[in-house]
Amino acid sequence: MTFTPHGKHLIAGDWIAGEASFTSAPAHGPAHDFSVGTPAHVDAACAAAEEAFWSYGYSSRAERAAFLNAIADEIEARAEAITEIGAQETGLPEARLQGERGRTTGQLRLFAEHILKGDYLDRRHDKALPDRQPLPRPDLKMMQRPIGPVAVFGASNFPLAFSTAGGDTASALAAGCPVVVKGHSAHPGTGEIVAEAIHAAIAKCNLHPGVFSLIQGGRRDVGQALVQHPLIKAVGFTGSLGGGRALFDLCAARPEPIPFFGELGSVNPMFFMPHALANRGTEIAQGWAGSLTMGAGQFCTNPGISVVIEGPEAEAFTKAASEALAPMGAQTMLTDGIAAAYRQGRDRIAGAKGVQEVLTSVCDMRNATPYLFLTTGAEWLANEALGEEVFGPLGLIVVVKDMDEMLALAHSLQGQLTCTLHLDDEDAKAARKLLPVLERKAGRVLANGFPTGVEVCDAMVHGGPYPASTNFGATSVGTLAIRRFLRPVCYQNMPEAVLPDDLR
């Protein structure tokens, strides 16, 4: 099944063209023309979303669960076509896209199951105490309610799981919030075919068409118009620190400030305890090389930093990591811009004071090859720039003098999505000193693993202190993500016949 995009926006059930267009830049295969979004498109989509909220926001959990499952069904019905155009646009292997499609449909179905259980409503009831002295207590009931229309920005590195029908969209729709998506220009055809799947599910479930809109392309004015639109009540974003911070500031500066749930950047450091490094250093180095280069390093949980204590074990680890990375060939990056930014990051690290090149290679155009650098704990602590993310398969080994310097390095970290401890049983005492620091720095702390690969489940946290994300109390993966798009409402002395069905 071959899919040929028509290049239009989906706004309130209609496919609409714009006056201007842009041409996609696929890694291979044909390029296609797509309409450029405008603030006028944003206004139309937001108005339709607000109108849809008055029915969709008050629909039953069963109705919304059926809708989420219908979206998953429609995506699966287009599986081959999605894989084909996704691979063309991004250069990602077909197997990776097939797995990501499964994750996308899986999280839609997971949220359907989650809302049917009803636990997320956090229902509470304090019964009236009319005879209490000195004052009686009224009857008080509370539960979580949807906030209204939500804006979602598609991500460059996950054309399915973090884009049009990704986790932000799935959790917002599950909560009862209509969604307006700004598609990513790196994969507009993939966005369009997934929007067609959602459009088909809306028709199948007989929902208001304003429950979902997709606006393609667009310049900064489109993103600005979307986050500043008075009908938008929250924003979900996965992307760069610079772009995310700019949108975050716009949300905060609105006459009515709204929450901006941005996942922005992380170097995901790994800390090697002495016995683990001595006993398994070579094995872990080989695993790190695989994790570092997976998907050309284009994962937000890519473990870019390894912290080891100086000595022969650290030297052996460095040698093993270099040998494991050396045979890795060039990989196609998602866009020319991401490839250029990777080379700039490489040059920044290579040119930093006290940084030694361990493994160098040559990459140009849209290709990425691995790089490995080495520095000391003292140089790291003196240069904040070494802790800035390089999006791609670049690793930095930081050699510290002892556990005290490792602890100081951990204290110096900015917020992270993940931190990892590699430890053996004999390392438990040292690890206990480090863990309280790491849990203040990251949303997920791992032991003896690699952070690439984020399980979609109840207990997952994909977020962390700034700049990993703009809201440390939230996650963009897992069922807790629904809480971003809900707010508590208390009902005092409300007659049973008037209460929402879920509180009766």
Side-chain angles (χ1 to χ4, degrees):
M1 176 183 177
T2 298
F3 171 71
T4 302
H6 50 63
K8 298 178 181 179
H9 314 289
L10 176 63
I11 299 177
D14 295 323
W15 292 101
I16 297 173
E19 294 182 2
S21 65
F22 70 97
T23 302
S24 63
H28 57 84
H32 302 281
D33 291 333
F34 294 87
S35 294
V36 175
T38 66
H41 291 133
V42 169
D43 186 59
C46 292
E50 174 69 11
E51 184 180 336
F53 181 70
W54 294 110
S55 56
Y56 187 71
Y58 299 87
S59 60
S60 71
R61 289 180 281 127
E63 289 171 327
R64 296 198 302 279
F67 177 43
L68 293 170
N69 283 319
I71 296 172
D73 291 342
E74 294 293 340
I75 289 174
E76 289 170 350
R78 295 161 174 78
E80 292 182 8
I82 289 172
T83 298
E84 180 184 36
I85 193 162
Q88 289 175 354
E89 290 185 323
T90 65
L92 293 171
E94 289 188 0
R96 151 70 194 273
L97 285 165
Q98 289 163 355
E100 189 182 332
R101 188 186 68 248
R103 172 175 167 174
T104 304
T105 57
Q107 60 195 10
L108 285 161
R109 298 190 192 283
L110 177 65
F111 276 109
E113 294 176 6
H114 184 64
I115 61 175
L116 287 175
K117 294 174 184 175
D119 295 345
Y120 78 100
L121 293 169
D122 193 17
R123 289 171 283 203
R124 305 181 185 198
H125 184 196
D126 290 302
K127 294 183 179 180
L129 299 175
D131 299 325
R132 190 182 69 174
Q133 296 297 326
L135 294 172
R137 184 177 76 187
D139 184 84
L140 300 168
K141 295 185 175 75
M142 186 275 284
M143 73 171 180
Q144 302 289 335
R145 297 294 298 139
I147 58 174
V150 169
V152 171
F153 285 71
S156 63
N157 59 335
F158 279 87
L160 299 173
F162 278 86
S163 290
T164 310
D168 288 344
T169 298
S171 53
L173 291 176
C177 300
V179 172
V180 178
V181 171
K182 182 185 181 297
H184 201 288
S185 56
H187 43 76
T190 309
E192 182 183 306
I193 191 172
V194 173
E196 285 194 351
I198 300 174
H199 180 52
I202 290 172
K204 182 184 293 184
C205 297
N206 196 29
L207 298 177
H208 189 293
V211 76
F212 175 85
S213 292
L214 169 70
I215 301 171
Q216 293 279 25
R219 302 173 184 86
R220 289 185 179 180
D221 61 341
V222 173
Q224 291 172 357
L226 187 53
V227 302
Q228 291 182 306
H229 199 285
L231 296 176
I232 292 296
K233 299 305 179 185
V235 180
F237 174 90
T238 299
S240 69
L241 175 59
R245 182 55 197 251
L247 294 173
F248 172 83
D249 290 343
L250 288 174
C251 288
R254 288 172 37 141
E256 178 202 0
I258 60 172
F260 178 85
F261 298 104
E263 190 236 289
L264 307 183
S266 182
V267 294
N268 306 296
M270 302 194 301
F271 294 82
F272 290 78
M273 300 295 97
H275 288 90
L277 186 63
N279 297 334
R280 301 182 287 114
T282 297
E283 175 188 341
I284 301 172
Q286 293 168 346
W288 181 39
S291 179
L292 190 67
T293 57
M294 182 187 300
Q298 298 169 117
F299 289 91
C300 44
T301 54
N302 190 34
I305 308 294
S306 285
V307 185
V308 298
I309 296 175
E310 67 180 6
E313 293 85 359
E315 294 171 5
F317 173 82
T318 301
K319 182 174 182 291
S322 179
E323 291 175 348
L325 288 168
M328 302 286 186
Q331 299 181 70
T332 302
M333 300 201 85
L334 293 159
T335 69
D336 292 327
I338 289 173
Y342 174 59
R343 292 190 289 273
Q344 291 170 3
R346 170 203 63 191
D347 295 342
R348 172 173 56 81
I349 298 296
K353 179 178 178 293
V355 172
Q356 173 187 343
E357 294 180 347
V358 177
L359 175 68
T360 61
S361 51
V362 177
C363 62
D364 57 9
M365 305 298 288
R366 198 162 161 171
N367 296 319
T369 50
Y371 291 85
L372 185 62
F373 297 93
L374 184 75
T375 193
T376 65
E379 293 292 353
W380 170 283
L381 292 169
N383 186 357
E384 290 184 1
L386 294 178
E388 296 175 5
E389 181 184 26
V390 178
F391 195 61
L394 182 147
L396 176 63
I397 299 173
V398 184
V399 182
V400 297
K401 293 179 180 179
D402 49 30
M403 281 299 303
D404 287 340
E405 191 169 61
M406 181 178 283
L407 193 62
L409 189 151
H411 276 289
S412 77
L413 289 170
Q414 292 186 308
Q416 305 291 327
L417 293 171
T418 72
C419 287
T420 301
L421 282 165
H422 287 281
L423 72 161
D424 284 354
D425 292 344
E426 300 89 340
D427 294 312
K429 183 177 180 180
R432 278 197 297 270
K433 290 183 179 179
L434 202 54
L435 183 59
V437 181
L438 300 187
E439 70 179 20
R440 288 194 68 187
K441 299 294 183 176
R444 178 163 56 114
V445 185
L446 298 79
N448 296 328
F450 301 97
T452 43
V454 182
E455 187 70 27
V456 182
C457 59
D458 291 329
M460 178 52 62
V461 173
H462 190 61
Y466 185 86
S469 57
T470 56
N471 190 310
F472 58 77
T475 175
S476 61
V477 178
T479 54
L480 189 62
I482 196 173
R483 292 296 296 269
R484 298 173 298 170
F485 308 121
L486 299 165
R487 65 180 182 88
V489 176
C490 177
Y491 303 84
Q492 182 170 325
N493 289 334
M494 192 65 62
E496 185 83 4
V498 181
L499 281 170
D501 290 343
D502 282 326
L503 268 182
R504 291 181 185 177

